[in-house]
Amino acid sequence: MFEQAGQQALLHILVYLLFLVITWWAMQAIRFDTYIKKGKVIQARVLFVLVTIAVASLVSSFFLTYLNYSTQLKYLF
């Protein structure tokens, strides 16, 4: 029981980190510098990090929920 919980926790951490890296990579394609006010570089970087974390969290939650539901389909029959 505890071993399975540990494996699930490790899977969740790895999935969140994977999608954080993928989201960071994908966000690099967007030109945010056109929307940044002069002298507000630090705020823009913080916003970029927060948006990356938010998007990665949403995508990771979707993926993990989908994975959980798909593994539970075997109990339908």
Side-chain angles (χ1 to χ4, degrees):
M1 178 71 179
F2 293 117
E3 183 178 319
Q4 184 180 8
Q7 290 172 353
Q8 188 174 9
L10 180 62
L11 175 69
H12 278 72
I13 290 171
L14 292 175
V15 167
Y16 273 104
L17 289 175
L18 173 72
F19 282 111
L20 186 66
V21 169
I22 291 172
T23 304
W24 183 270
W25 172 75
M27 294 277 291
Q28 298 295 318
I30 300 173
R31 289 186 46 130
F32 284 109
D33 55 344
T34 58
Y35 303 109
I36 299 172
K37 293 180 181 178
K38 291 187 184 263
K40 302 292 184 180
V41 177
I42 294 175
Q43 289 94 333
R45 287 182 184 165
V46 170
L47 179 64
F48 188 82
V49 169
L50 292 175
V51 169
T52 301
I53 291 170
V55 171
S57 178
L58 286 171
V59 174
S60 298
S61 293
F62 170 79
F63 178 79
L64 290 169
T65 302
Y66 184 84
L67 180 66
N68 184 30
Y69 289 155
S70 65
T71 57
Q72 291 179 3
L73 282 176
K74 61 186 174 188
Y75 301 118
L76 185 60
F77 302 106

